[in-house]
Structures are given as structure tokens and as C-alpha cells.
Amino acid sequence: MDTNRTRAPFPQIFSSSHLILLPFLFLLMASLLSVTRSIHFQPACLIKPSSLRPRFPFYPRPPLKSRPCPLWSSSFSLCLLRTRAHRKPINRTHLPPSPPSVRSFCASPLSDVAEMAEIETNPLLKDFDFPPFDSIKAEHVRPGIRALLKQSESDLAELERTVEPTWPKLVEPLERLVDRMAVVWGAVSHLKAVKDNADLRSAIEEVQPEKVAFELKLGQSKPIYNAFKAIRESPDWEKLSDARKRIVEAQIKEAVLNGVGLEDDKREEFNKIEQELAKLSQKFGENVLDSTKKFEKLITDKKDIEGLPATALGLGAQTAVSKGHENATTENGPWIITLDAPSFMAVMQHAKNRTLREEVYRAYISRASSGDMDNTAIIDQILKLRLEKAKLLGYNNYAEVSMASKMATVEKAEELLEKLRSASWNSAVQDMEDLKVFSKSQGAPEADDLNHWDTSFWSERLRESKYEINEEELRPYFSLPKVMDGLFSLANKLFGITVEPADGLAPVWINDVRFYRVNASSGNPIAYFYFDPYSRPSEKRGGAWMDEVVGRSRVMSRDGSSPRLPVAHMVCNQMPPVGDKPSLMTFREVETVFHEFGHALQHMLTKQDEGLVAGIRNVEWDAVELPSQFMENWCYHRDTLMSIGKHYETGESIPDDIYKKLLAARTFRAGSLSLRQLRFATLDLELHTKYVPGGSESIFHVDRRVSEKTQVLPPLPEDKFLCSFSHIFAGGYAAGYYSYKWAEVLSADAFSAFEDAGLNNDKAVKETGNRFRETVLALGGGKAPLEVFVEFRGREPSPEALLRHNGLLQVA
């Protein structure tokens, strides 16, 4: 194999060149004194877009998502083991000690007894080991957050007054201060993502400006900034560990990006921009959710949904029952089709009714693009404000601001995208030609004029014909309980950990949520995580993501010796169980589970005791997808697939010939799928580099121009998918969507280390897995990601493995 052909252009791209403050008093002490007690618990990652907060590295990143590109079927959902009714009771006598509690934090005396009483009963301000998700209500948000902000203001003033350029006098108190708010705000934001309602929206909208104002004040603190600079310039700098150096350098860089160097009018303008961006991003996401759940298509004639598999019909009937059609059944309907991923994808891939496919497709690409939920003006205003923010900071465009804290530069990102685009284009053109030929052979009248609502349908028919694989027929082999058992078995083999249920140890927001404990080989707990698997279109946002609840931290240790343990969320939108059947998954949904668990592993298996660089914190955004995409590769490993692919009724393993077909089908339409991602990544960079808000070219014109080089089938003139592109307008991927492809190069090359060692050599796999754990998973943000990769792989990354896995190496 000629590797030089693909390797030569790439090396230069990768060249080496939470927080909670719990102020309240016991009522009996109200008239006498105030008591301040220290608080011990873990930092959390906020479930909120980066645009809702200043760029301050103590504030965790937005939730990490699987590849949730519009209309890309393998990017949509996740699922979980069994409903609570199917769970085995947990013997609590075998549960290890729970993580450190969140303690009450008493601040200055509160003069109003009624206010104190309200705070005393507020679950956000009570002691807890894990967030009280089952008791937090909208009415708790305003008083709870305001109480925390009041104490935070006081603590910040004290820190600025006493700060010294030392770790105990600067970094440790700052971590404690920020950690307090993140846990509480993280819990509130998480509930908005998974149990959204009008009252909760209103409460968050009201206090968010106050919170953003405090974060700006904190991020622009000159005493703190100057103290970090003093550490950097001190003679003891070289004595610091790599992790501590990374913390200091990140703080200095982020403070500048947060506007610490701006004075008077410019700082005021910067802060107004940040506040407005927070409001706009939140409104953008709400419009997407509302427009998604607004669409409902009631179908009473089974002929209209011919071709839909039984699982989709069951979901449609289940949805109909929830909407008042109490006699709806899988066999006889009626059925309700929605734009939620499991329903939408079932129609696009399997409905023979072309008119129905067109209607559903057009509804999907026009979400949040009209009426009161129109995001068009919001997008323009977001782009305008981001550009103004960049100019204030001395940058040419917002992409340069984004890249200032990433591995790549704008030029290197564009170079990578173009290399991958050119490697994918001819293959994608052939994909479309194959569809035309095949559909014509099947007598399809639309064969000579295939449109967007035809490609998924005929792709599935071609896949079935070419590889004799029907994804729906494979569902019985991928029941959620078996998939999770196999995933946890793989984690044990690779990383020496065990995962076991711990339901009942932590409060959950809905009964479908599972809670797990992660144990080291010694049996001692090292982490915990929640898993929310099923789609709930009326209250839960789409996609799949991982997020922090709290992170590992020495500073937040409860006993003063052992670090606080990390806790994570895994949240997805899998088809729920229907009737007495467990959740039965498509293979693509299996990949998504592995993806999100990869993110969670980096958070949970970190060995960094410095909380500010533990887990995913301070990992450059374009490297953070490495563990998640790495885990997806194991779905194609024979032993792994056989361990998860067991028939839910008979226990029979997936037939060997089907495994071989799945492996052969891995590169099916790889060029087309690659181009779809490249369209989104290229469009993102184009909007944040060259686009002029309010100029002669609209955002939709930019999309069409980009699509000329990234889509074989041009988008419809009325395609307004940008109005639902939450990743870059309500998430953390603005000028960063390229990260998926950047990290895909890293992850494929990392997996190739296991291929080189021999995937069937258990000893070599375990040794390589341990090396991956001790580097990529353990080091977190305490070392530059390129250095971490080289420490694991022994060299810098190459795109060869990615192109080979995708079947594009010969094309390249």
C-alpha cells in the first residue's frame, strides 16, 4: 500500500510548531450572627452554550455531542438499559461511600426572614451528595441563583483584596468560587435540556443576565489576571508541573479573550455583546425545540405508511396514545409522525410513500425558519455581534477568536477540510450514480430525478440488496441491555474498570434514567454517571451528548487527602421500549452509545488532581472528540460485536455472515457521509471568516455556495437548515465544527495502534488499552493534546488510518 500518497500533505497540519455556593442561614441564627462554612464537592460542566458565558476556563465547556448533523442518521440518539420496572433491586449495603456532599454555605446575614425561609427550603441550596434533580422546580431558580450570586460577589471581592501570585492564594480559592456556581447552574441547565417547560425557561431567562454579568466581572478581574501573569514571570515558573503551567497559560489567554485588556467604553460594549449573545443563543435553541415538537402528522390509513418497520409503527401508535388517541395500536393505528429523530429517520429510510417523505423532509429542513419561531434574524445578529466582539479583541474575524484556544489555525482547518473533501468527492459522485442505477432497476419513476427525500430511502434499499443487511431486522440483536453489558465488558478489557448499576444512590429527573458506578480493578469507586436514553420530543432537546456533573479535583476534596470523584451525564434520544420489548437499536444507534461513552471515559478516568485540567477540562476543542470517535471503531471489532449482538429473546449471537456483511458495509456511501460533515464544517468556517452580516450575500446564499463543492445533490432553494444548526448558534461549536474531522484523524490513528498490536492478541490489546488510558484518558487538559497523542502513539498523527477505514485511501 502506498502510504506516502496520503501522508505527504498532512503532517504540517498537526505540526508541533461549578460550582456551588450555597448561601443560607438557619432561621434561629437570623438575628444573631452569620456563619460561613466551607463547601466540599465537585466542579460541574454547564449544559449551556459557550456563548451564554464569558470565555473563562474555569467554566466548563458546553456539553459534548455525538455527530448530530441534520439528516445524518448515525448521529441522532442513544438509549439505556431497561425501564425502572425491569430493573433489579440494588443492595444498598454493597454501595461504596457516596462522593463528597455539597454542603450548606452560609453567607452574610439575611434580614428578611421570609427570604431566609424560602432559601432554607430551596433544594438548590441544601446539602446533597448528588444534585436533587427530582425536587428542583422552576420556582427555586430565581432565589437560588441570586443567593449564590450574592455570595459569589462577596467572595470575589475578598479574593481580589487578598490575592497573591501563589497556588494557595490564587488558584485554589478561585477554583472553589467558580465550582460552587457550576454545580447549581449545571443542574438547572441540565433540567432545561431534558425536562423543558415554560416556567423553567422564564426563570432562567430572568436570572441569566445577572449570572453573565458576574462571570464577566470575574473573567475581567485585573487583580486575578495580574496574579497569573506574575506566576508566569516568576523565577519558580519552571518548577511548576506541566498541568499547573497549562492552567496558568490558559488563564492568561482566556482572560485576554474575555476582554480583560479593554477599558471603559470598549469593555462596556464588549459586555453588552456578551449579554445579548447569551439571550440570542438561548432563544435560538428554544425556537428549534418548539418548531420540532410543533410538527405532528396524523396518519389513519396504513397504506400511507407502508414500508415502515414494526418498531416505527409502534412508536407512532405510542405517540398517538400520548396525544389522546387512546385506542391507537401498532397494527391498526392511528399513528403520529414527528420530526424527532427516531420517527423522522424511520420515514426517510423506509416509507414507500414518496409524498409523505417529501412532506416530512421539507418540514425538517425548514424548522425554526418562519413565524414567531424564525431564527433567521437571530443568526444574522449572532454573526454580527461575534464579528464585533472579534474586532474589539483585535482579531480579524470570530474564527480567529475561536482558534486562539484550539490546536488548529483557520488556515490549517481549511487545509484539512479541503484535503478530505477532494478525497471524498469522486466517491460521493459514484454513490449518487449507484443510487440512480439501482432505483431505475427497481422500476422507480423518480430514478432519473432523485431528490433529497429519496436518497435515504434508496440508500437503505441498495444496502439491503448489496450486503443483504436490513437494519430493522438487526434490531432484535441489539437490545439496549445487551449492548450496555458488552460495552462495559469492553471497558473492562481495555481499561481494567468495572461498571455496575447504582440506581437509587442518586436522585434522577425521570424514572427511565439509570445511574452507574465505575470501579477500579481494586473494587474502589472512581466515578459515577447518569444515563438518560430515550426520546421525549415534548420536553427534551434532540441529539446525544455527554456533560459533566462534577469533576475530579484535589481542591474540592472532602477529606483533605483523596480527590473528589467525577460524575457525568450521558444523554440521548433513542427509541424507547414499545410494549413488552426492550429498546431495540439500529447499528448506528449502537455506534452513538459507544461514542458518548468515550466522552464519559475521558471525564471519569482522568488521573489529574488539578480540577481545572481534569477530564475534558482545558482539552483543546478540536482534540476532545478523540476518545469518543475512538470508541466507535470497536463496534466493528468481531469479539466486541458478538458480545453486544445477542437476540433479545433467544440469546443467539449475531450470525457470523451478518458480521462480515456489516464489516463490508462500513464504507458504504462513505464519500457521501464525509461530504455531509464537510459541508457543515466548511459552512461554519465560511460564516465566521468571510461572511459580512448585512451585506449583499445572505446566510442561505453562503450555504448554497459552499454546497456547490460539498454536495453532489444541491440543497433545495427553500432549504433553511441553518435555522436549526444548534451546534454553532446555540452550542460550543462556532468556528469549531471542523473539530469532528480534525479529531477523526486523531481517533482513527489511535485505533490503528490496536490494529498494529493485533486485535486478536488479548495481551497486546490490554497493554495498548492501558497505554491509551494512561495518556489520552488520564492526562486530561494537563498536557497539550499533540504531546499526549505522541506519548501514546510514538509519533505525530497521520490521516492514513481515517482514509483507510472509510475506504477512501485509493481515491486520495
Side-chain angles (χ1 to χ4, degrees):
M1 183 182 297
D2 182 5
T3 59
N4 292 327
R5 269 190 310 172
T6 56
R7 227 181 224 186
F10 280 82
Q12 69 271 29
I13 296 177
F14 295 95
S15 173
S16 315
S17 3
H18 317 94
L19 309 213
I20 163 180
L21 215 338
L22 300 173
F24 67 93
L25 294 171
F26 294 104
L27 290 175
L28 294 177
M29 302 169 64
S31 61
L32 299 175
L33 74 163
S34 70
V35 179
T36 302
R37 297 162 57 190
S38 62
I39 169 176
H40 304 281
F41 68 88
Q42 295 96 318
C45 197
L46 309 183
I47 301 189
K48 66 173 185 175
S50 60
S51 53
L52 301 192
R53 58 171 172 80
R55 297 180 59 95
F56 194 64
F58 281 89
Y59 282 90
R61 63 178 79 250
L64 296 166
K65 302 181 180 180
S66 66
R67 307 161 295 182
C69 311
L71 305 184
W72 196 45
S73 57
S74 59
S75 311
F76 279 106
S77 326
L78 234 248
C79 53
L80 189 124
L81 289 181
R82 30 195 180 266
T83 61
R84 189 164 291 274
H86 295 144
R87 294 180 189 167
K88 297 178 181 178
I90 299 299
N91 184 347
R92 293 188 61 85
T93 61
H94 296 312
L95 292 175
S98 58
S101 298
V102 174
R103 298 293 184 188
S104 311
F105 191 94
C106 300
S108 54
L110 298 173
S111 59
D112 189 276
V113 174
E115 180 184 359
M116 289 180 57
E118 184 178 14
I119 289 176
E120 178 69 22
T121 59
N122 193 320
L124 294 175
L125 304 177
K126 283 184 173 291
D127 292 357
F128 55 75
D129 293 323
F130 300 99
F133 289 118
D134 58 344
S135 57
I136 299 172
K137 308 297 181 187
E139 58 263 28
H140 300 135
V141 173
R142 294 176 181 87
I145 297 300
R146 282 173 174 150
L148 301 184
L149 287 173
K150 183 177 181 180
Q151 184 62 38
S152 296
E153 291 277 0
S154 175
D155 288 354
L156 177 57
E158 177 65 13
L159 176 58
E160 290 182 325
R161 186 182 67 80
T162 61
V163 68
E164 296 177 14
T166 66
W167 221 254
K169 290 287 190 176
L170 169 61
V171 182
E172 292 179 5
L174 185 56
E175 181 178 351
R176 291 189 186 97
L177 189 160
V178 179
D179 189 79
R180 297 163 189 159
M181 180 64 74
V183 171
V184 169
W185 187 260
V188 170
S189 300
H190 173 70
L191 286 176
K192 184 177 184 297
V194 296
K195 284 187 71 68
D196 185 45
N197 61 71
D199 290 341
L200 186 58
R201 284 187 185 186
S202 177
I204 291 175
E205 184 177 347
E206 186 174 323
V207 296
Q208 182 176 279
E210 301 166 40
K211 178 179 175 292
V212 172
F214 170 73
E215 291 175 346
L216 285 165
K217 184 176 182 180
L218 177 62
Q220 295 170 351
S221 169
K222 288 195 173 180
I224 293 175
Y225 172 64
N226 289 334
F228 274 113
K229 286 206 302 181
I231 291 178
R232 178 66 179 86
E233 295 163 3
S234 75
D236 294 331
W237 171 252
E238 293 302 328
K239 298 177 183 178
L240 294 181
S241 65
D242 288 344
R244 291 192 169 188
K245 286 180 179 178
R246 287 267 292 176
I247 288 171
V248 173
E249 289 169 341
Q251 293 300 316
I252 294 171
K253 179 190 296 182
E254 293 290 341
V256 172
L257 294 175
N258 204 39
V260 72
L262 301 177
E263 300 292 345
D264 303 329
D265 291 348
K266 288 189 175 181
R267 177 180 288 199
E268 183 178 350
E269 183 182 355
F270 181 93
N271 291 350
K272 286 181 179 178
I273 288 173
E274 290 290 83
Q275 288 281 9
E276 185 63 19
L277 283 173
K279 295 176 185 176
L280 291 169
S281 292
Q282 179 168 308
K283 183 62 176 173
F284 184 99
E286 290 172 355
N287 285 345
V288 173
L289 177 61
D290 291 345
S291 61
T292 300
K293 66 184 183 182
K294 181 180 178 181
F295 178 90
E296 293 179 1
K297 175 75 173 178
L298 178 66
I299 296 178
T300 57
D301 189 341
K302 196 167 187 177
K303 292 181 180 178
D304 291 339
I305 51 173
E306 184 181 355
L308 258 64
T311 51
L313 293 174
L315 177 63
Q318 196 165 279
T319 303
V321 169
S322 71
K323 300 295 183 180
H325 301 273
E326 57 187 38
N327 296 320
T329 65
T330 299
E331 295 75 20
N332 301 313
W335 307 269
I336 288 182
I337 302 298
T338 70
L339 297 183
D340 198 48
S343 178
F344 170 76
M345 289 310 306
V347 171
M348 299 313 299
Q349 293 178 332
H350 301 291
K352 295 182 179 181
N353 185 340
R354 192 180 187 222
T355 302
L356 175 63
R357 297 201 307 265
E358 179 179 357
E359 179 182 355
V360 173
Y361 178 84
R362 288 183 181 275
Y364 193 89
I365 63 168
S366 60
R367 288 179 300 159
S369 64
S370 62
D372 295 339
M373 294 177 281
D374 191 350
N375 275 336
T376 306
I378 291 177
I379 293 174
D380 270 324
Q381 186 66 4
I382 287 175
L383 293 173
K384 176 176 176 290
L385 291 174
R386 284 176 179 169
L387 180 58
E388 291 176 3
K389 173 181 173 178
K391 298 287 188 181
L392 282 172
L393 294 174
Y395 291 92
N396 294 314
N397 52 60
Y398 185 78
E400 291 181 359
V401 176
S402 174
M403 300 292 182
S405 54
K406 292 182 172 66
M407 289 180 71
T409 62
V410 174
E411 292 74 21
K412 295 300 183 185
E414 290 176 337
E415 181 182 347
L416 174 63
L417 295 180
E418 176 54 28
K419 296 291 183 184
L420 296 178
R421 189 202 69 80
S422 62
S424 304
W425 180 261
N426 288 342
S427 178
V429 170
Q430 186 59 51
D431 288 343
M432 182 56 69
E433 189 59 32
D434 291 345
L435 282 192
K436 291 178 179 178
V437 171
F438 176 75
S439 59
K440 196 165 191 174
S441 73
Q442 302 300 301
E446 67 268 24
D448 292 326
D449 188 29
L450 291 180
N451 217 312
H452 294 276
W453 46 87
D454 301 316
T455 54
S456 292
F457 177 81
W458 285 110
S459 292
E460 287 306 302
R461 305 293 81 73
L462 178 57
R463 186 202 307 269
E464 293 165 1
S465 172
K466 188 173 183 179
Y467 302 104
E468 298 180 342
I469 291 179
N470 181 309
E471 284 211 340
E472 288 300 318
E473 292 176 359
L474 289 180
R475 278 187 188 267
Y477 287 100
F478 296 125
S479 67
L480 187 53
K482 296 295 186 185
V483 169
M484 299 308 291
D485 287 346
L487 175 58
F488 296 157
S489 177
L490 175 66
N492 175 261
K493 177 180 179 180
L494 295 178
F495 310 124
I497 61 172
T498 58
V499 182
E500 56 187 18
D503 299 302
L505 180 61
V508 295
W509 49 96
I510 194 168
N511 284 344
D512 288 334
V513 174
R514 298 299 307 277
F515 190 69
Y516 293 95
R517 178 177 56 247
V518 181
N519 296 329
S521 56
S522 64
N524 295 324
I526 55 175
Y528 301 84
F529 69 98
Y530 302 82
F531 192 14
D532 182 354
Y534 306 129
S535 167
R536 298 188 298 274
S538 64
E539 63 179 12
K540 184 179 179 183
R541 79 167 186 239
W545 66 91
M546 170 269 166
D547 194 13
E548 292 185 17
V549 180
V550 294
R552 182 180 173 96
S553 172
R554 170 189 58 83
V555 170
M556 305 310 300
S557 169
R558 185 178 187 179
D559 59 15
S561 59
S562 56
R564 186 181 60 184
L565 300 182
V567 183
H569 294 139
M570 282 173 57
V571 183
C572 306
N573 277 277
Q574 170 101 11
M575 184 180 292
V578 177
D580 59 355
K581 294 181 180 179
S583 178
L584 301 178
M585 307 166 67
T586 66
F587 184 69
R588 292 167 179 174
E589 289 168 337
V590 172
E591 289 180 290
T592 302
V593 173
F594 276 63
H595 179 107
E596 298 307 329
F597 192 63
H599 281 312
L601 286 172
Q602 187 172 34
H603 173 62
M604 297 188 296
L605 300 191
T606 184
K607 292 189 176 180
Q608 288 287 0
D609 290 341
E610 296 291 345
L612 306 178
V613 290
I616 61 174
R617 290 189 172 199
N618 204 43
V619 176
E620 279 75 351
W621 193 258
D622 38 11
V624 82
E625 295 290 338
L626 192 169
S628 56
Q629 295 177 341
F630 162 81
M631 286 299 294
E632 291 181 44
N633 289 281
W634 290 100
C635 296
Y636 294 92
H637 176 231
R638 188 184 186 282
D639 291 349
T640 300
L641 189 65
M642 291 301 176
S643 72
I644 64 176
K646 295 183 182 298
H647 198 283
Y648 80 101
E649 290 179 318
T650 67
E652 173 193 3
S653 293
I654 194 168
D656 191 64
D657 64 321
I658 292 183
Y659 163 69
K660 292 176 181 177
K661 292 171 182 176
L662 277 172
L663 197 62
R666 183 177 186 179
T667 59
F668 180 67
R669 292 180 60 77
S672 298
L673 295 176
S674 176
L675 280 188
R676 182 176 291 281
Q677 286 286 69
L678 292 169
R679 171 196 177 189
F680 301 133
T682 306
L683 177 59
D684 171 35
L685 284 183
E686 191 77 12
L687 289 173
H688 289 104
T689 53
K690 302 178 182 66
Y691 174 68
V692 180
S696 58
E697 192 177 36
S698 74
I699 54 173
F700 305 115
H701 287 128
V702 175
D703 182 22
R704 291 183 187 90
R705 175 163 53 79
V706 167
S707 296
E708 289 175 3
K709 297 182 69 176
T710 57
Q711 293 290 279
V712 176
L713 187 61
L716 298 176
E718 59 270 35
D719 186 331
K720 294 188 176 181
F721 100 90
L722 271 170
C723 290
S724 58
F725 198 2
S726 296
H727 268 61
I728 68 172
F729 296 118
Y733 287 84
Y737 200 91
Y738 76 92
S739 300
Y740 283 112
K741 282 300 181 184
W742 189 276
E744 208 173 342
V745 171
L746 302 176
S747 63
D749 200 357
F751 185 75
S752 71
F754 290 81
E755 295 174 319
D756 293 346
L759 291 174
N760 296 321
N761 184 334
D762 285 350
K763 183 174 183 291
V765 166
K766 289 180 180 179
E767 290 174 352
T768 309
N770 184 65
R771 193 167 76 248
F772 187 86
R773 177 180 177 176
E774 295 299 319
T775 53
V776 176
L777 300 181
L779 296 177
K783 182 175 280 192
L786 184 58
E787 294 178 28
V788 173
F789 185 91
V790 171
E791 189 171 333
F792 166 68
R793 196 68 177 92
R795 58 166 173 75
E796 293 190 3
S798 160
E800 176 188 325
L802 173 62
L803 295 171
R804 174 167 51 82
H805 290 166
N806 288 345
L808 301 174
L809 193 59
Q810 294 179 354
V811 178

